[in-house]
Amino acid sequence: MWKYFVDATAEIIEEEGVENVTIRKVADRAGYNSATIYNYFSEISHLLFFASMRCMQDYTNEVARYIERGKDPIDKYLLAWECFCQYSFKQPQIFHAVFIMDLGETPEKLLENYYNFYPNDLINIPEDLKTILFQHSLTKRGRSMLEIALKEGYLTEGNVDAINEITLLIWQGMFTNLLNNRKSYDAQQATEIVMSYITKIVRNANLFDEEHNNKQS
């Protein structure tokens, strides 16, 4: 029953967009009355979250292929961001429902529930990437990848948090503009702009080391 409602919502999202999802439409498509939905979802944001996750399967599969192309942890980090930008800028409403919308409870628990119902979504995903995908927080996702670079000596402790925060803020700025129709860039243009900034920041990580050392002294 739970999956009927999620799949019905995902179909409406793909046909009409997240903004046009209503409880009545979902109930009609699933073949049940509206009140039944609330037996399975305490908030409509949860239903939108699960259904949007269904619509993100192309991204989940593609990010693994992107990362495989990287020669080292820094390359992998940049490629992961490039893939995330491409898909989030192409489907801002869906990514908003998954990563930005107020879900009212621990998002990681919702992710765990989702993958319990749809384990096949993880079949082609490497084990190390699964750990990252089970983290809802974009801050934690980025930090996890940067910690690999830290352990292998590509970064130092003094610049990991700065890189993580600044790259996320750059993405959020562009994402918000696209979500609210404040910019006319297509997904490719927006990705190229954001990645040019993120790449400069990561490749010049030593600048954060100097700032960190100055604060320590």
Side-chain angles (χ1 to χ4, degrees):
M1 183 76 75
W2 185 94
K3 291 178 73 172
Y4 285 153
F5 292 128
V6 171
D7 290 343
T9 306
E11 289 174 5
I12 295 171
I13 288 174
E14 296 202 342
E15 292 172 11
E16 304 179 36
V18 175
E19 65 278 12
N20 291 310
V21 173
T22 66
I23 291 296
R24 181 178 294 277
K25 285 182 182 179
V26 174
D28 288 345
R29 184 167 297 226
Y32 294 89
N33 63 56
S34 300
T36 306
I37 294 177
Y38 290 103
N39 293 331
Y40 298 90
F41 304 94
S42 58
E43 299 181 29
I44 190 171
S45 64
H46 297 174
L47 180 57
L48 291 173
F49 169 84
F50 291 122
S52 294
M53 284 290 296
R54 297 297 295 141
C55 299
M56 283 179 55
Q57 191 55 39
D58 286 346
Y59 160 72
T60 304
N61 291 332
E62 191 67 14
V63 70
R65 289 191 282 268
Y66 263 71
I67 292 174
E68 285 177 1
R69 289 159 36 199
K71 302 185 297 294
D72 57 52
I74 296 297
D75 273 348
K76 292 179 185 294
Y77 175 76
L78 292 172
L79 286 165
W81 262 113
E82 182 181 346
C83 185
F84 189 78
C85 287
Q86 287 276 8
Y87 280 86
S88 64
F89 295 159
K90 192 183 303 180
Q91 301 174 303
Q93 296 286 352
I94 288 173
F95 277 71
H96 178 268
V98 172
F99 292 106
I100 306 297
M101 185 182 291
D102 183 3
L103 298 173
E105 63 178 71
T106 307
E108 280 73 16
K109 184 63 177 177
L110 297 180
L111 271 175
E112 182 181 341
N113 289 342
Y114 174 81
Y115 285 119
N116 283 337
F117 278 101
Y118 297 99
N120 289 342
D121 285 9
L122 295 172
I123 286 179
N124 298 317
I125 306 301
E127 287 300 321
D128 54 346
L129 184 55
K130 287 180 185 179
T131 303
I132 296 173
L133 291 177
F134 268 92
Q135 294 178 341
H136 177 268
S137 166
L138 293 178
T139 300
K140 291 180 180 178
R141 286 188 177 211
R143 191 63 159 77
S144 295
M145 297 203 69
L146 289 172
E147 283 175 354
I148 297 172
L150 174 63
K151 289 176 183 177
E152 296 190 18
Y154 288 89
L155 296 173
T156 64
E157 190 67 47
N159 55 40
V160 168
D161 286 331
I163 290 172
N164 194 34
E165 184 172 10
I166 292 172
T167 53
L168 182 55
L169 288 172
I170 292 170
W171 171 81
Q172 285 176 329
M174 180 64 78
F175 183 78
T176 301
N177 280 329
L178 296 176
L179 182 68
N180 296 313
N181 297 313
R182 297 299 179 92
K183 292 289 185 181
S184 58
Y185 302 129
D186 61 28
Q188 183 60 39
Q189 290 172 320
T191 297
E192 289 173 358
I193 292 169
V194 168
M195 288 310 303
S196 69
Y197 290 125
I198 291 178
T199 301
K200 288 176 183 176
I201 288 167
V202 175
R203 297 301 185 192
N204 291 281
N206 59 306
L207 296 178
F208 297 111
D209 278 331
E210 293 173 8
E211 181 180 348
H212 176 75
N213 291 335
N214 290 336
K215 288 181 179 178
Q216 291 292 94
S217 60

